[in-house]
């Protein structure tokens, strides 16, 4: 646990969350959500939760972003807000 | 517009109360906080038992795997069942979607312009080389989950992701040729059955459900500790089967509206 | 400045961020109009809860929860002869053969054969276990939600909440 890393990653996470929710293009939103997943995976590894970090890297950053993109591909890419 | 104002008010009130409550929390990284060390004057925290006794009980260095597959075996078993049920639910929803006459189907024809495109040669070849490496790494993660970070969930997701990578790089049919729909649902059910089977065998031998120590004569190990270690590996393999199959089935159904044709 | 960081920021910063992420997620679930955006908000909400749990299990200067204790009789000998950890590892590898001999001697003797681990130096494994399964189940339920979103898109031709509500209310008035 190193507080400087902790601080930086947490700030980036909040920024990534806000951007993911405010982008009008849903494909970009899905990709930024994948970035959010990688950041939180870094945070788990930094806090000593290696198993959780591993799962998050595979699931949160990889599979769930792909699932979002698959849905956006089959529906509408534009969002009103 | 009004709903956004109300939402903001509700969120600010909730967040303010939670931020107020944060000041009563133990400070970050404190080893003597109640979740880490138990309540003062009361019993020790259960996590302390896990940390000190796991290696004596089951000869597994990775405490997370041991707690996941042994001490909290019921929890993990029904989490696996939840994953299985979610896969079935997605299959039912998407299949009812795909079979109806869908005007949007024509859109897929436009999207499928990449089929047979020469731009795919580089991506396809690279992924063809990468996929076996991912799968071997996933098997290592499952088998070595006792000694390093990893286990059934992570390895299963990696195996599923390798099939998703194959489907993304070339075609969904290329992945379905290797793991057809009938096979992946069979694998998902077999995974849950392997997990429950370990519990049932333990029950037939006179112990409680999922009490692995009693499996010692069947697994030919010396001592109940090694029997627990080996049973954990078996259980993780079951979890990996289910998670792999369901991850791939979720992707296959979501990307094709349940028709399993003309994927992403 | 340093005092400010150590006394005010450091003890609770993770918990502040968990509340802020939770507020962002909750606001998105309530106020966003697009269903995909709502689902992204729901996922952020979920990771906020996971952040809360994992933050509770962190211990200062602690190791990751993977630990193979060295057997006592060998480790003592190693420390006597001023040997470093390398000889302790070499001794640890001998244990399986040793256990074979021990297993007939009885369980009570074998249980005391390992050094006592200090729980304060290993991170709390329990939140990790709970959250590990929660992440995998979370992606499965996210898949169900996305399937329902595709169903809504097929039925109404849109993913915007207000347009879907307009169609539903309009249908009721026609009846």
């Amino acid at each position: 646990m190193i507080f400087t890393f902790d601080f930086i990653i947490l700030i980036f996470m909040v920024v990534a969350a806000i951007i993911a929710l405010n982008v009008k293009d849903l494909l970009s939103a899905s990709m930024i959500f994948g970035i959010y997943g990688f950041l939180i995976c870094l945070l788990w590894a930094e806090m000593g939760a290696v198993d959780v970090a591993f799962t998050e890297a595979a699931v949160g950053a990889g599979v769930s972003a792909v699932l979002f993109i698959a849905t956006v591909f089959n529906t509408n890419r534009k969002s009103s807000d | 517009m009004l709903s956004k104002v109300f939402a903001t008010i509700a969120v600010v009130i909730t967040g303010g109360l939670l931020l107020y409550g944060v000041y009563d929390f133990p400070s970050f990284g404190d080893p003597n906080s109640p979740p880490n060390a138990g309540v003062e004057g009361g019993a020790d925290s259960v996590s302390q038992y896990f940390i000190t006794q796991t290696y004596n009980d089951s000869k597994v260095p990775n405490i997370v795997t041991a707690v996941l597959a042994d001490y909290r075996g019921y929890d993990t078993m029904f989490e696996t069942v939840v994953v299985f049920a979610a896969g079935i639910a997605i299959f039912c929803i998407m299949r009812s979607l795909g079979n109806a006459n869908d005007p949007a189907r024509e859109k897929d024809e436009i999207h499928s312009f990449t089929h047979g495109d020469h731009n795919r040669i580089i991506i396809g070849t690279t992924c063809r080389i990468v996929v076996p490496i991912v799968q071997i790494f996933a098997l290592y993660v499952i088998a070595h989950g006792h000694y390093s970070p990893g286990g059934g969930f992570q390895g299963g997701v990696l195996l599923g992701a390798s099939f998703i990578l194959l489907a993304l790089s070339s075609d969904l049919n290329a992945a379905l040729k290797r793991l057809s729909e009938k096979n992946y649902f069979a694998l998902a059910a077999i995974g849950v059955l392997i997990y429950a089977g370990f519990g049932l065998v333990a029950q037939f031998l006179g112990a409680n459900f999922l009490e692995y120590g009693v499996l010692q004569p069947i697994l030919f190990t010396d001592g109940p500790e090694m029997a627990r270690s080996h049973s954990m590996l078996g259980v993780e393999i079951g979890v990996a089967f289910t998670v792999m199959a369901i991850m791939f089935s979720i992707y296959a159904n979501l990307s094709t509206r349940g028709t399993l044709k003309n994927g992403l | 400045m340093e005092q400010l960081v150590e006394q005010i920021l450091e003890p609770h910063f993770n918990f502040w961020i968990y509340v802020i992420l939770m507020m962002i997620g909750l606001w998105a679930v309530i106020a966003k109009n697009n269903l995909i955006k709502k689902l992204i908000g729901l996922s952020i909400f979920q990771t906020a809860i996971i952040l809360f749990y994992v933050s509770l299990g962190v211990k200062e200067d602690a190791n990751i929860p993977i630990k193979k204790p060295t057997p006592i009789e060998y480790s003592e000998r190693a420390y006597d002869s001023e040997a470093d950890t390398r000889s302790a590892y070499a001794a640890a590898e001998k244990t399986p053969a040793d256990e074979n001999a021990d297993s007939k001697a009885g369980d009570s003797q074998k249980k005391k054969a390992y050094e006592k681990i200090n729980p304060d130096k290993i991170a709390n494994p329990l939140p990790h276990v709970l959250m590990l399964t929660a992440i995998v189940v979370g992606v499965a339920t996210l898949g169900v939600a996305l399937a329902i979103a595709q169903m809504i898109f097929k039925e109404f031709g849109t993913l915007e909440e207000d347009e879907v509500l307009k169609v539903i209310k309009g249908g009721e008035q026609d009846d």
Side-chain angles (χ1 to χ4, degrees):
Chain A
M1 182 197 104
I2 305 155
F3 185 68
T4 321
F5 284 167
D6 203 57
F7 185 83
I8 295 169
I9 296 169
L10 284 169
I11 296 292
F12 271 123
M13 265 171 61
V14 174
V15 173
I18 291 172
I19 294 176
L21 288 171
N22 281 323
V23 175
K24 295 257 197 271
D25 185 359
L26 285 177
L27 190 64
S28 312
S30 312
M31 289 313 293
I32 296 167
F33 185 67
I35 293 171
Y36 176 86
F38 268 119
L39 282 173
I40 205 159
C41 154
L42 269 180
L43 186 68
W44 302 150
E46 184 264 343
M47 293 199 313
V50 275
D51 283 88
V52 187
F54 200 161
T55 319
E56 183 75 38
V59 170
V63 175
S64 71
V66 170
L67 294 185
F68 270 117
I69 291 170
T71 306
V72 171
F73 168 81
N74 274 335
T75 57
N76 206 343
R77 191 171 159 177
K78 295 277 182 297
S79 158
S80 68
D81 56 350
Chain B
M1 204 60 231
L2 198 66
S3 72
K4 284 199 178 180
V5 175
F6 279 123
T8 315
I9 292 170
V11 167
V12 166
I13 289 174
T14 319
L17 286 174
L18 284 169
L19 276 177
Y20 175 71
V22 158
Y23 281 96
D24 290 335
F25 279 12
S27 62
F28 180 59
D30 180 12
N32 295 317
S33 63
N36 289 336
V39 193
E40 217 172 310
D44 275 358
S45 165
V46 70
S47 68
Q48 284 185 325
Y49 176 83
F50 291 149
I51 291 170
T52 51
Q53 297 300 317
T54 297
Y55 195 78
N56 289 339
D57 281 353
S58 58
K59 299 278 185 289
V60 172
N62 189 348
I63 304 168
V64 173
T65 304
V67 179
L68 184 85
D70 191 334
Y71 297 110
R72 295 185 62 86
Y74 270 114
D75 185 19
T76 312
M77 180 179 150
F78 285 102
E79 304 269 14
T80 315
V81 175
V82 167
V83 172
F84 179 69
I88 300 289
I90 292 166
F91 167 77
C92 296
I93 293 172
M94 300 307 288
R95 193 49 54 91
S96 70
L97 215 65
N99 279 347
N101 281 336
D102 193 356
R105 280 252 69 81
E106 289 145 26
K107 207 176 83 184
D108 280 358
E109 301 299 323
I110 303 165
H111 274 293
S112 64
F113 64 92
T114 39
H115 288 264
D117 194 338
H118 291 295
N119 289 335
R120 285 208 163 188
I121 286 177
I122 294 173
I123 298 173
T125 314
T126 314
C127 290
R128 206 169 283 238
I129 295 168
V130 166
V131 162
I133 299 173
V134 172
Q135 289 182 339
I136 288 174
F137 179 64
L139 291 177
Y140 162 77
V141 166
I142 297 167
H144 212 255
H146 302 60
Y147 301 97
S148 60
F153 283 108
Q154 291 95 327
V157 173
L158 278 175
L159 276 175
S162 74
F163 284 107
I164 292 176
L165 183 65
L166 197 64
L168 277 174
S169 64
S170 52
D171 198 350
L172 188 64
N173 283 331
L176 281 175
K177 223 182 279 171
R178 288 158 177 87
L179 185 62
S180 69
E181 188 178 37
K182 202 186 275 178
N183 286 351
Y184 63 63
F185 275 119
L187 275 178
I190 286 170
V192 177
L193 278 179
I194 287 175
Y195 205 134
F198 269 90
L200 282 178
V201 171
Q203 218 172 12
F204 280 127
L205 290 176
N208 288 325
F209 191 68
L210 291 175
E211 195 177 327
Y212 307 131
V214 78
L215 298 177
Q216 183 193 349
I218 298 178
L219 296 169
F220 301 109
T221 58
D222 27 275
E225 290 93 355
M226 285 314 286
R228 286 172 84 165
S229 174
H230 290 328
S231 309
M232 271 181 232
L233 178 63
V235 159
E236 298 267 17
I237 289 170
V239 171
F241 274 170
T242 304
V243 172
M244 171 194 82
I246 295 302
M247 285 298 148
F248 181 58
S249 96
I250 290 175
Y251 169 76
N253 278 308
L254 279 183
S255 66
T256 59
R257 299 158 193 254
T259 54
L260 302 183
K261 274 177 222 144
N262 290 333
L264 195 64
Chain C
M1 185 64 199
E2 209 167 282
Q3 203 183 7
L4 183 95
V5 170
E6 270 181 14
Q7 290 186 354
I8 298 178
L9 206 56
E10 203 173 322
H12 292 300
F13 188 68
N14 270 46
F15 301 118
W16 292 348
I17 296 292
Y18 121 75
V19 175
I20 290 170
L21 283 177
M22 208 161 139
M23 284 163 73
I24 293 171
L26 187 61
W27 188 82
V29 170
I30 299 172
K32 283 285 173 187
N33 202 19
N34 190 291
L35 292 177
I36 302 284
K37 284 283 175 69
K38 274 181 198 275
L39 288 178
I40 291 178
L42 202 63
S43 297
I44 290 171
F45 195 106
Q46 187 199 2
T47 47
I49 302 293
I50 298 172
L51 173 62
F52 167 63
Y53 267 79
V54 177
S55 298
L56 278 180
V58 173
K59 295 172 187 167
E60 198 139 9
D61 296 330
N63 250 321
I64 57 172
I66 298 174
K67 175 80 177 171
K68 187 174 182 183
T70 40
I72 271 177
E73 60 263 55
Y74 289 106
S75 63
E76 272 174 358
R77 199 184 302 159
Y79 289 134
D80 286 346
S81 61
E82 286 186 324
D84 54 359
T85 43
R86 203 175 141 201
S87 64
Y89 280 132
E93 276 168 15
K94 279 183 204 161
T95 43
D98 189 52
E99 277 155 22
N100 283 347
D102 254 20
S103 60
K104 282 152 200 159
D107 273 1
S108 60
Q109 203 183 352
K110 200 163 59 180
K111 288 216 165 170
K112 281 169 191 164
Y114 296 101
E115 63 167 354
K116 185 110 169 76
I117 303 171
N118 181 8
D120 289 352
K121 290 295 169 201
I122 305 280
N124 193 342
L126 199 54
H128 302 178
V129 176
L130 299 175
M131 293 306 110
L132 198 155
T133 49
I135 290 173
V136 178
V137 170
V139 79
T141 48
L142 176 73
V144 178
L146 289 171
I148 292 172
Q150 291 199 19
M151 202 162 137
I152 289 171
F153 183 79
K154 194 205 154 212
E155 192 77 15
F156 297 99
T158 177
L159 278 178
E160 305 294 325
E161 193 191 15
D162 52 355
E163 291 171 29
V164 172
L165 283 176
K166 210 183 286 173
V167 173
I168 294 172
K169 279 175 186 161
E172 277 175 3
Q173 277 165 7
D174 285 348
D175 295 337

